Amino acid sequence: MNKLILFFSVLGTVISDLNKERAYINLVNTIPCIRRFNSTHQIGCGKLDYSSYEGIVYTVRSNNEFERLKNLNKLDIPNLVVVTLPNYFSRVVDLHQNDDEISRIQGIVLISNSEFLSNFSQSDFSFSDDTKSPNSHFSLYKTNKTYGASNWNPSGTNYMFQNFNIPFYIIYDLNETIQVIEECYDKFNQHIFEKYNSDSFSIKSSESLCGMQLGLQMSGSVSSTVCTRRSSIMHTLESSSFCDPLGGSNYFTFMSQKPSNSLPIVILSARLDAFTMYEYYTPGANQPISALIGLFGIIELLGKHRSQVNSSNILVVLFDNEAFDYGGSTRFANDLQKDKFPEIVLDYGIDNEESFVLKKDNITSIIELNQLGSIGFDSNQDLFIHKDPISFGKDKNVAKTVIELTEKLTKYSKNIKPISNINQQLPPSSIHSFLRNDILIGGVSLADFNSEFSSNFYHSVFDTADNMNVTFPEEMTEEDAANYTTMFAQRLQALTTSIAQTIFSLHNPSNTDLKDQVSQITLNRLVYCFYKNSTCKFFQDMMTESQWKSYQNLLEANLPKGVLSFYTGVDDNPISGKWLASMLLRYFSRNLDLESLSRDECSKDFEKVKNYEKDNKVSIRNFYYVNNSICVASSIYASSSVSPAFEKFDDGILVNTGQFSAWTESSWNGVDVQMKIFMFSRPSIAGLTLSLGIVSLVLAFVVTFLAEKFAHRLFYSKNPEQNDIFE
C-alpha cells in the first residue's frame, strides 16, 4: 500500500514538472536593460521580484496597433507585455512613463533583428539611448553656456539615464522573433485584440492567450554613494557587493618605443567604448569602431617612418570608459596632473633598468579621432576640425598649436575643414578631461559632423554597419570581401593619410612629406573584419594560437554570441572589442626592423634583440610570433580607466564626485535573466480546474473520515497463534 502511494506521488511530481516545461518556452537569445548608478541617482531597469512581471503579449507594428494600445492602456484589463518595432519604441516607452502608476504595460521588448525588420518600413528612423547633449555634466561648459549650442545629438531620448519600474528586453535572434510575433501573438492574441472597440474589451472564457514573463534581479539600489557604502559593509561579512565601479584600462604606446619627457609629445587618441541600455549589446559601428579603423591605418603608416620622427614623440592612446562622463580620460589626465601616472620600467637591452613616468609639461597637442562613419554616405565626405573656444581665446600657446594643426590638416586635405562657427563648443571629446584638469594643450577633435551628429544612432543598438552604408556584395568569398573597397574605406584612406602627414610634419626637422599613403588593403580588411566577420582570417593571422582562442572565448562569452562588444563594464570583466583593439594596437605599432625574426628568435632574451635595443636605445616590452609568420615586437602599456572618484571605494567612500564621475553597475542577485512565453489558462478551464480541486479535496476528507471510522473492518490484526509462528 505504501509503495503504491509513493508511486503515485512520484508520478504526479513528474507529470507536474513535464506540464510546467510544456507550459513555458524559454527565450535565450535576449538581453536585458540593467541597473546602473551615479553618485546621486539610479538609472536603467532591474526589479527584485521578477515573478510579477508578466502579461499578455501585445505587438506594435503599425500606427493602428499603437493607437489601440493607447486606448487599452486606460482600461482595467489584464497586464500587457508590449513587443515593438524600433520606430514605435519611443512612443511605447513614453506612453508608459507618462502614466506609469496606472499603466497596464508590465514590460517592453524591442525587436532588433535586421532580417525581420526588413519586412517593415523603417524610413526616417533615428534613435539614441543617450541624451541630446552627451556627457554635459562633466563638460567644460557645464556652468558656461556662452559658446554655441550643445544639443549635439538630436536623436537623443535620454532613456539611458531614466529609471524604469518595468523590465526592458531586446530580441535579436530571427527564430525567437518569429516565435514571439507569429507563433505567439499572431496565432493566439491578434484576433482577440482586433475585436476591441473604444468602449470595452473582454476575453471570452473559451479563448486562449499567449503571455510573456520577464525576469531580472539585481541587488544594487539608490545611488553609487549608497551602494558603495553597503558594499563596504558587506565586504566585512562576505565577498559579494551591491555594485562595482565602471572602467577597465586605457591602452597607450610610444611610436618611437623610446618613452621620454625630453621631447615634445603629440597625442593621437580615440575612444574604446560605447553604451546602450542593454548589457553588452554595443555594436559601436560609428562610435568607436570607425575611429579605431582610422587610427590603426595611421599608426601602421607612421610605423614605417619611425626613424624619421626624431624630434618629437607620438603617443597613441585608446581611452576606455569615455561614454560615462569621460571616466578614462579623466583618470589619465588626473594622474598626470597629480604626478601619479603609473611608472614604466625600461631596460634598453641592458641589465640596468630605468623607470619612466609620463609628465604633463611636454604634452604639446592632442589629435582625437571622433566619429568618422558618415563619410560612407554620398552626401558627406568631409571631416570637421573642432576645438575649445575658451582655451583658444585665453592661452596663446593653445591658440598657436590649434592654428598650426588646422593649417596643416587643411593643407593636406580639402575635405578636412574648420567648423563654420568659431565660437562653437567642443563636442563630446576626451579633450574636455585635459582642459578640466588644467592641462592646457592645443587639441583638435576630427569628426564627420559640423554642428550636430551626422549619425542617427549614437549609443544605440542600431549603430550598425548597415546604418553606416557599409555593405558587401552578396555571394562574395571571404577573401574577395576582405579586399573589397567600400566607399567608407576609400574616403577614409585619403583622410587618414592627411592626418598622418600632419602628425609626421609637426616635429619633423627635414619638413618633408610622406611618400606613401595609408594602406587601402589594410583599411579594406579592417572594415570587413570589424563590420562583417569578427573571426576573419586577417584578425586570426595577427594573433598567436592561444590569443586567438582567448578572443573566440570572449566573443562567445556574452550575447549576442560572435558579435563584438565595446560595452562599458566593470574593471575585472574583459570585453571582446576592447581586447581586440589592444591586440591590434600591438600589431600595428610593432617594430618593423624586428618583424622578420624567426619563432625562436622572437624573444626579448635573444642576443640580436638585446643588441638592437642597446644600439637604438629602445625598450621593447611585448614579443610574440603570430600566425602569419611575423614577430610582433611592441611596447603597449595599460593604465586604469576607473574614475578617480573610486580611490577609496573599498572603504565605502566616494571622492570629489563634483569633479569626477562616479558610475557603478549593479551586481546580480543570483537569479538568471529570464524571458519566457507561455499560454494563459482559459478562464473556463481555470474554473474547471478549481472545481475539480475542491471536489478532490472534499472527497479526500470523506475517504479519510470513512477509512478512520471503519478501520477495524478494513484492517485487522494478526491472531496470537500467527504471532507465535512468526516469532
Side-chain angles (χ1 to χ4, degrees), residues 195-479:
K195 293 186 295 184
Y196 159 79
N197 60 56
S198 58
D199 298 323
S200 64
F201 175 78
S202 60
I203 303 171
K204 294 181 179 179
S205 61
S206 60
E207 292 174 324
S208 296
L209 289 168
C210 182
M212 180 178 287
Q213 184 183 84
L214 304 177
L216 179 64
Q217 192 168 358
M218 306 192 80
S219 56
S221 62
V222 185
S223 67
S224 292
T225 304
V226 172
C227 80
T228 297
R229 185 169 63 248
R230 290 176 177 172
S231 296
S232 176
I233 296 171
M234 286 300 296
H235 278 150
T236 64
L237 304 174
E238 52 182 283
S239 59
S240 63
S241 64
F242 290 103
C243 62
D244 299 289
L246 295 183
S249 297
N250 300 316
Y251 297 101
F252 61 96
T253 183
F254 287 89
M255 289 298 298
S256 65
Q257 296 184 333
K258 301 176 182 180
S260 171
N261 287 309
S262 61
L263 295 174
I265 296 172
V266 54
I267 294 177
L268 174 65
S269 73
R271 272 176 50 171
L272 196 53
D273 66 312
F275 67 56
T276 69
M277 292 173 65
Y278 306 96
E279 187 182 35
Y280 295 109
Y281 200 176
T282 51
N286 190 17
Q287 180 73 286
I289 293 178
S290 65
L292 290 173
I293 292 173
L295 182 140
F296 294 138
I298 290 170
I299 63 175
E300 182 185 45
L301 175 58
L302 292 175
K304 297 175 183 178
H305 302 274
R306 192 189 309 266
S307 61
Q308 294 176 257
V309 183
N310 48 31
S311 62
S312 67
N313 242 326
I314 301 169
L315 175 61
V316 182
V317 187
L318 301 181
F319 288 117
D320 183 33
N321 195 18
E322 291 298 275
F324 284 98
D325 294 329
Y326 312 119
S329 58
T330 297
R331 176 63 180 269
F332 192 95
N334 185 68
D335 284 350
L336 283 175
Q337 181 63 269
K338 295 184 177 180
D339 293 326
K340 294 166 56 178
F341 203 82
E343 183 179 275
I344 297 173
V345 177
L346 310 172
D347 61 16
Y348 301 117
I350 57 179
D351 295 333
N352 296 328
E353 295 180 341
E354 298 180 14
S355 63
F356 167 79
V357 178
L358 180 65
K359 302 292 184 182
K360 67 179 187 297
D361 296 336
N362 275 35
I363 301 176
T364 60
S365 57
I366 177 170
I367 299 175
E368 177 191 62
L369 301 187
N370 207 309
Q371 302 175 51
L372 308 180
S374 295
I375 62 172
F377 291 96
D378 291 332
S379 58
N380 186 13
Q381 54 184 322
D382 298 330
L383 295 183
F384 295 90
I385 305 170
H386 295 269
K387 68 180 187 309
D388 166 47
I390 298 178
S391 59
F392 182 84
K394 288 185 176 181
D395 190 283
K396 292 182 180 180
N397 290 328
V398 169
K400 180 182 177 181
T401 301
V402 171
I403 291 171
E404 182 183 13
L405 289 172
T406 302
E407 288 177 347
K408 287 184 177 294
L409 287 165
T410 54
K411 170 188 173 182
Y412 292 116
S413 175
K414 65 178 182 179
N415 294 115
I416 301 180
K417 304 175 179 179
I419 55 174
S420 53
N421 178 5
I422 60 173
N423 288 323
Q424 182 174 278
Q425 291 184 8
L426 179 70
S429 162
S430 301
I431 299 172
H432 282 270
S433 299
F434 289 87
L435 298 178
R436 287 184 75 246
N437 279 274
D438 297 324
I439 301 176
L440 291 177
I441 56 177
V444 296
S445 180
L446 303 177
D448 60 10
F449 56 87
N450 187 346
S451 58
E452 62 182 33
F453 293 169
S454 298
S455 172
N456 292 326
F457 306 101
Y458 180 79
H459 285 166
S460 161
V461 295
F462 302 106
D463 185 11
T464 61
D466 289 342
N467 286 325
M468 266 180 51
N469 197 34
V470 176
T471 57
F472 298 84
E474 296 292 333
E475 300 179 358
M476 187 177 269
T477 65
E478 178 179 343
E479 183 177 357

Side-chain angles (χ1 to χ4, degrees), residues 166-191:
I166 59 172
F168 285 27
Y169 270 77
I170 192 165
I171 302 181
Y172 59 86
D173 180 75
L174 177 61
N175 292 330
E176 292 189 350
T177 301
I178 292 172
Q179 202 169 18
V180 170
I181 299 289
E182 298 179 5
E183 298 175 15
C184 174
Y185 177 77
D186 288 350
K187 185 175 180 179
F188 295 100
N189 298 0
Q190 186 176 22
H191 68 281

Side-chain angles (χ1 to χ4, degrees), residues 298 301 408-409 411-416 492-505 518:
I298 290 170
L301 175 58
K408 287 184 177 294
L409 287 165
K411 170 188 173 182
Y412 292 116
S413 175
K414 65 178 182 179
N415 294 115
I416 301 180
L492 189 64
Q493 184 205 26
L495 293 166
T496 51
T497 298
S498 300
I499 297 168
Q501 177 65 72
T502 297
I503 296 171
F504 179 75
S505 65
V518 169

